[in-house]
Amino acid sequence: MFRLRLLPIALLAAACHAGHTPPATSEFLVAAGDSTFWVHSGPDGVHVRGVPLHLAYYDGRFYETYVVDDDRSYTHAVIVGQSLYRRDLITNDSAIVFRDTAMANLERWYVRHHPADRPLDDDEDPDAHLLVDASSELNELGRYGPYLSYSYDASADLADREGWRVSRHGVLDLRTGRPVSVAELFGAEQATAIYGRAAELLARLEDSVRASRDVRAHMARRTLGAFRFDSTSFTLVNVDRRPAVEFVVPGRGWRAGGLSLALPPIPVAPPAWWADIARTLPVTPRDSSLTQWQHGRYQILARYDASSDATGLSLVDSAGHRWTIANLPSPAHRVFWLDAPAIDSSTRRALDRAFNDAALYSDDARTAMTKRSSSDVTPVSRPGRPVRESQHETSEIMMPQHANNMGHVFGGVILSMMDRTAAVSAIRHARQQCVTVSVDRVDFREPIHLGDLIIMKSSVNYAGRTSMEVGVRVEAENLLDGVRRHTNSCYVTFVAIDRNGRPVEVPAVIPETDDEQRRYTAAQDRRRRRLEEREAEKRRSEL
């Protein structure tokens, strides 16, 4: 969860050197905690900009990685999984790199056994009597070039049979979305030695548990047989700027399902691809409480403050002058250099856009939805998008094929244009394919005549979990005298879908002006009335 702990003065770009010496010229990104900070310094001081953004860097490009909820819930089943996406900052294209197959398989099982149940509507609460209550949590543990380490924990409580728990770790190749093995990372010869060392560490751990007289060790001995070494269950870490493999032995069965044993990291000889990564990692002298990065003629120092759980970052030039940068979340673990060599204009624009977008994320924008129960349903926090990003305007002259015998434009022509215009706003907001599910309040205020220029304006008023209300305003302009008339309005509801036609979550709407806030509130009221009418109709049909 993102918790920004910057000192306010750090964001004011104040140079903090007593002699007022201008700070060294620098520019870099710092990955600290669950955030990324863009730092640049020069004659006008030190400037810091921080956002809840996870970045990976490989093949000369930056990529954002983020986790989103995959809600597959039904009236009597809460099934909430997670997926991991990778977004190219330059092209803005996203690709899924981790699919929650456990929750997808559970949903298929549930549909087979309960074909009469239906998926939940937007923001609809599940029934109090659940047959399935399942959720998962996916955590990003570290990124080294194209390789991302993760942990995955899932659980399912079933009303009519025994539930299950599962926990696993792994490393993904962000370029392909495939899991990678130790052998693929470090070669077959090193992999054999690593597996042998892991077996020794596990045997030593088991021996210590068996030899212990502690009461807790007695309980642990009863479950040792449920932990079995899995060569694919590991994460990639660094020890003193060198790669290391940390195996996590998963537990199985009713006693140990969902539990795991972490073995100590096993250092590995750095492969060729590690060289670029090592330059981003800090050095920690054994006789110092500081970690540091050296880059050209300046140095970055980081000192951990246990009292505030923050890391104080400083910039030091070759003459030993020091300037305070900021207090950042701990730990400060990576630095991406932007000044030597200098990034190109495309990368700079891409980073600026990514930071602007990430500034709109809520505190929980990149975290999983917590497990829900029938008595405690927590709304999903998700990224938001301002109204201005979905707004669309189009125009067209009304020709003879659009008009009836009276010279008035057919209402069906206007409705079709409204639907197409609204669809552009919906797709812009969701960045997904969208389908029309309803059209509300089509007001034909005045007739539209042959030869009029029709101007249509649309924007997203409100977004639920997978649906959006788009407002459309139609104006007719007489091109001879320039007079415009407001002729039509309507509200169109869309649902975003994936390639398989399944509804997918959309960003929340962020109203920025008083008018946008008014439309947002009115759309909420209309949605509430629609749900009430649907429920009333359902009750009447059951009588």
Side-chain angles (χ1 to χ4, degrees):
M1 183 178 295
F2 175 66
R3 289 289 184 268
L4 186 59
R5 292 189 288 269
L6 283 171
L7 288 177
I9 194 170
L11 296 179
L12 297 178
C16 301
H17 178 57
H20 302 292
T21 303
T25 300
S26 68
E27 186 175 24
F28 51 89
L29 301 176
V30 182
D34 288 333
S35 310
T36 300
F37 298 85
W38 194 341
V39 181
H40 62 90
S41 64
D44 59 344
V46 179
H47 300 257
V48 184
R49 184 183 181 190
V51 292
L53 186 67
H54 293 170
L55 289 179
Y57 183 79
Y58 56 89
D59 297 337
R61 299 175 82 135
F62 283 102
Y63 296 84
E64 179 187 11
T65 62
Y66 59 96
V67 174
V68 298
D69 292 315
D70 183 11
D71 196 334
R72 300 167 176 267
S73 298
Y74 290 73
T75 304
H76 296 282
V78 170
I79 306 173
V80 183
Q82 299 226 290
S83 298
L84 178 69
Y85 286 80
R86 175 217 69 205
R87 181 169 71 94
D88 186 324
L89 295 194
I90 291 180
T91 66
N92 212 31
D93 293 332
S94 293
I96 190 168
V97 292
F98 179 92
R99 296 181 185 274
D100 195 335
T101 55
M103 294 298 128
N105 291 336
L106 181 61
E107 182 199 15
R108 284 192 285 269
W109 171 86
Y110 181 78
V111 170
R112 283 198 307 270
H113 290 81
H114 304 88
D117 202 355
R118 61 173 180 81
L120 287 180
D121 291 326
D122 292 345
D123 300 332
E124 181 182 6
D125 291 345
D127 190 84
H129 304 289
L130 291 178
L131 300 175
V132 173
D133 187 3
S135 64
S136 67
E137 183 174 359
L138 180 68
N139 289 304
E140 303 175 57
L141 301 181
R143 299 158 214 83
Y144 295 96
Y147 304 116
L148 181 143
S149 298
Y150 70 90
S151 67
Y152 173 83
D153 296 280
S155 63
D157 295 323
L158 311 178
D160 56 351
R161 64 187 63 200
E162 184 179 334
W164 48 263
R165 305 285 184 273
V166 66
S167 178
R168 69 174 186 265
H169 291 66
V171 177
L172 296 170
D173 188 333
L174 293 172
R175 297 166 296 191
T176 63
R178 290 180 50 251
V180 291
S181 65
V182 174
E184 289 173 301
L185 289 170
F186 303 109
E189 184 176 347
Q190 279 212 83
T192 300
I194 292 168
Y195 295 148
R197 177 59 176 159
E200 293 175 7
L201 292 172
L202 180 58
R204 189 179 301 173
L205 175 63
E206 292 173 340
D207 289 344
S208 65
V209 171
R210 292 189 179 97
S212 175
R213 301 298 182 184
D214 191 278
V215 175
R216 291 170 297 179
H218 173 72
M219 299 175 62
R221 283 193 289 272
R222 299 172 58 189
T223 62
L224 275 180
F227 292 90
R228 297 179 184 176
F229 179 76
D230 181 349
S231 64
T232 67
S233 181
F234 71 97
T235 59
L236 190 60
V237 297
N238 85 88
V239 177
D240 295 332
R241 303 180 78 213
R242 295 168 63 87
V245 174
E246 186 174 273
F247 286 100
V248 182
V249 183
R252 294 176 173 84
W254 67 271
R255 282 184 175 178
L259 302 177
S260 57
L261 298 175
L263 301 182
I266 302 172
V268 184
W273 55 264
W274 186 261
D276 290 336
I277 295 167
R279 285 190 284 269
T280 70
L281 301 174
V283 174
T284 304
R286 297 189 183 280
D287 59 348
S288 173
S289 61
L290 292 172
T291 57
Q292 59 192 46
W293 292 262
Q294 183 69 46
H295 185 65
R297 296 185 176 181
Y298 68 87
Q299 188 180 64
I300 302 169
L301 300 181
R303 184 188 297 275
Y304 175 65
D305 183 356
S307 63
S308 61
D309 192 27
T311 296
L313 215 64
S314 302
L315 177 69
V316 181
D317 67 10
S318 56
H321 300 133
R322 179 180 298 194
W323 295 267
T324 297
I325 296 176
N327 276 357
L328 307 184
S330 291
H333 42 82
R334 299 287 295 279
V335 169
F336 300 102
W337 311 107
L338 305 182
D339 52 2
I343 56 174
D344 57 40
S345 58
S346 297
T347 301
R348 183 173 297 279
R349 286 195 299 270
L351 283 170
D352 189 59
R353 182 175 62 239
F355 269 66
N356 288 337
D357 290 345
L360 301 174
Y361 298 163
S362 68
D363 280 354
D364 299 326
R366 294 305 192 211
T367 62
M369 173 183 173
T370 56
K371 180 179 175 182
R372 303 189 298 177
S373 67
S374 58
S375 61
D376 183 18
V377 180
T378 304
V380 179
S381 294
R382 61 191 192 276
R385 185 161 287 145
V387 174
R388 54 184 159 80
E389 291 191 12
S390 69
Q391 290 173 332
H392 177 55
E393 180 174 329
T394 187
S395 61
E396 185 175 351
I397 296 177
M398 293 296 96
M399 305 299 287
Q401 66 267 25
H402 299 137
N404 58 25
N405 293 334
M406 299 176 61
H408 297 164
V409 175
F410 285 113
V413 171
I414 301 302
L415 284 174
S416 176
M417 292 177 63
M418 284 179 165
D419 187 50
R420 292 197 302 271
T421 303
V424 173
S425 286
I427 294 170
R428 276 181 175 170
H429 183 82
R431 295 303 178 190
Q432 297 278 353
Q433 291 299 318
C434 299
V435 294
T436 307
V437 295
S438 70
V439 179
D440 292 353
R441 288 282 309 280
V442 184
D443 298 324
F444 290 88
R445 302 161 60 97
E446 294 185 32
I448 298 173
H449 305 291
L450 184 65
D452 282 347
L453 176 68
I454 299 303
I455 302 101
M456 293 200 174
K457 303 175 182 179
S458 62
S459 62
V460 177
N461 294 332
Y462 175 82
R465 182 170 56 88
T466 62
S467 70
M468 298 152 284
E469 184 198 88
V470 180
V472 183
R473 177 186 172 92
V474 183
E475 297 175 350
E477 179 180 344
N478 185 318
L479 292 176
L480 298 180
D481 59 22
V483 175
R484 282 195 183 188
R485 299 169 292 123
H486 175 203
T487 61
N488 301 81
S489 295
C490 76
Y491 304 106
V492 188
T493 300
F494 291 85
V495 167
I497 58 173
D498 61 17
R499 293 180 179 178
N500 298 318
R502 182 187 298 279
V504 294
E505 186 177 88
V506 300
V509 169
I510 302 176
E512 297 177 312
T513 67
D514 291 342
D515 194 47
E516 290 170 1
Q517 183 61 57
R518 176 186 58 78
R519 292 199 297 265
Y520 182 93
T521 302
Q524 281 183 311
D525 292 339
R526 283 189 293 271
R527 185 178 182 283
R528 176 181 51 77
R529 289 195 296 270
R530 285 195 297 268
L531 292 175
E532 290 174 351
E533 291 169 0
R534 186 186 307 167
E535 188 63 26
E537 184 178 347
K538 177 182 176 181
R539 289 195 297 267
R540 286 195 298 269
S541 66
E542 293 173 349
L543 295 177

